Amino acid sequence: QAKVAGKNCYRFYSRAMDQAVERRVHLEHALRGAWDRGELSLVYQPVFRLGDGAMVGAEALLRWKHPEQGLIAPSVFIDVAEQSGQIETLGPQVLRAACEDAVAWQRARPGADPLFVSVNVSPRQLRNGDLPNVVAACLRETELPPWLLHLELTETAVIGDEVHASALLSRLRASGVKVWLDDFGTGFSGLSHLRRVPVDGVKIDRSFVADVLRDPDDLALTTAIIAMAHSLGVTVVAEGVEKEGQYAVLRERGCDLAQGYWLGHPVPAAEFLAQLP
Ligand code: C2E
Ligand code: MG
Ligand code: MG
Ligand code: MG
């Protein structure tokens, strides 16, 4: 009996695995040329300063509308692009589009405080040492002031190769671009990294923000991250603010910036431009 169940189990899992592999292969194939076919686009989520509630910039988030399957989550297709190497062409296209959009925002609000654009950079883009050149070309061609471009890197992109990463980040920062560590606090060695890796800001992962009102440990950790970051001169951004109470507690603890559904959802580029205050 057990043997039969085991055998069925095995067949079940192996079929599920085949399907997962098949789906990956399909997505990898379908993703080729998707940018040029207009299936990929950027949405922007506004970022606010907690002190006075002013909008100070926005994060660019990539969306893929597959012709048959509809919207595919970035957590799925970014991984496919990363594994297959397609991120090496996609990354610079995203960067270029985000810089162009940010230039349009400044033109739409002459005399107003400029808005930064924050772009996610995957580990593979960082490992491929070309990033500083790609960024420099992008800034030159779009004429976006470098300090209005923020690059978001995850801790995992930096861990394991701190020497190479530090040198690269230093080069980027020397050009005036700001570097933020994304999903901060999810890696074990988070805080100690701040000593060795030069960054301008950290984005507290939304898993901490989600529980700041309920879980005293998460509130304590968030408060500690803010204090530690500030003592190192690093800006703190909270992501995933979904409730007014979270916003209030973060502001009270001295967090600098925040984004999240309570403040504003990501919206298509054209809509973001049209709605600018
Ligand atoms: P991330 O950089 O940490 O982006 C924040 C994610 O949280 C986004 O998910 C955003 O839509 C979502 N979010 C924002 N506010 C809230 C909130 O209040 N509650 C909740 N539950 N979620 C919120 P999204 O757009 O699905 O992106 C997922 C991840 O995919 C991003 O995480 C980023 O790591 C990656 N990604 C997205 N676009 C790009 C890209 O152009 N390049 C690279 N390399 N990665 C990207
Ligand atoms: Mg991000
Ligand atoms: Mg994040
Ligand atoms: Mg918790």
Side-chain angles (χ1 to χ4, degrees):
Q1 190 69 33
K3 207 171 168 188
V4 173
K7 197 173 162 202
N8 285 342
C9 249
Y10 168 74
R11 282 175 54 195
F12 171 75
Y13 282 120
S14 112
R15 199 172 305 134
M17 269 160 65
D18 283 350
Q19 280 168 358
V21 170
E22 237 171 70
R23 178 165 154 87
R24 258 196 109 76
V25 171
H26 168 79
L27 289 180
E28 189 182 320
H29 181 76
L31 194 54
R32 282 192 203 286
W35 181 273
D36 296 324
R37 290 192 301 274
E39 294 167 18
L40 289 160
S41 64
L42 289 175
V43 294
Y44 291 97
Q45 181 174 40
V47 179
F48 297 86
R49 191 161 49 211
L50 288 167
D52 61 0
M55 189 208 245
V56 289
E59 177 174 11
L61 295 161
L62 193 57
R63 293 289 175 267
W64 181 21
K65 202 167 176 206
H66 186 286
E68 289 109 37
Q69 298 178 22
L71 276 178
I72 313 243
S75 55
V76 174
F77 76 79
I78 293 290
D79 193 50
V80 169
E82 169 88 13
Q83 301 287 330
S84 66
Q86 295 180 75
I87 198 75
E88 303 204 10
T89 40
L90 206 50
Q93 288 168 320
V94 165
L95 193 66
R96 176 63 189 245
C99 290
E100 283 172 0
D101 286 340
V103 166
W105 305 342
Q106 322 308 329
R107 294 209 173 120
R109 328 182 332 138
D113 284 343
L115 299 171
F116 66 76
V117 68
S118 195
V119 179
N120 292 285
V121 172
S122 82
R124 188 155 177 165
Q125 285 175 271
L126 193 67
R127 261 180 277 126
N128 161 340
D130 207 27
L131 191 63
N133 296 329
V134 169
V135 168
C138 212
L139 293 170
R140 200 172 50 239
E141 287 158 22
T142 62
E143 296 181 26
L144 181 71
W147 57 90
L148 293 181
L149 177 62
H150 296 190
L151 300 177
E152 298 191 7
L153 314 163
T154 54
E155 284 178 85
T156 44
V158 171
I159 290 168
D161 198 2
E162 282 93 346
V163 176
H164 175 238
S166 302
L168 211 72
L169 299 191
S170 297
R171 262 183 83 191
L172 286 164
R173 292 179 76 216
S175 74
V177 166
K178 306 246 183 272
V179 174
W180 285 0
L181 267 194
D182 205 351
D183 305 336
F184 190 74
T186 52
F188 283 107
S189 43
L191 289 172
S192 66
H193 269 96
L194 287 184
R195 285 188 298 126
R196 272 171 290 150
V197 180
V199 297
D200 300 280
V202 294
K203 298 189 77 170
I204 301 180
D205 191 66
R206 67 167 185 266
S207 58
F208 292 103
V209 174
D211 277 351
V212 286
L213 298 177
R214 267 195 315 248
D215 186 338
D217 290 345
D218 284 316
L219 181 58
L221 269 168
T222 301
T223 307
I225 290 173
I226 294 169
M228 167 79 93
H230 282 172
S231 73
L232 295 165
V234 168
T235 300
V236 185
V237 190
E239 52 181 23
V241 175
E242 295 181 350
K243 295 184 187 119
E244 187 170 10
Q246 294 166 341
Y247 183 88
V249 101
L250 288 162
R251 187 171 57 184
E252 185 230 333
R253 301 288 158 136
C255 184
D256 303 291
L257 309 177
Q259 64 190 96
Y261 296 160
W262 186 72
L263 294 157
H265 282 263
V267 295
E271 199 177 312
F272 185 79
L273 179 65
Q275 286 179 358
L276 281 178

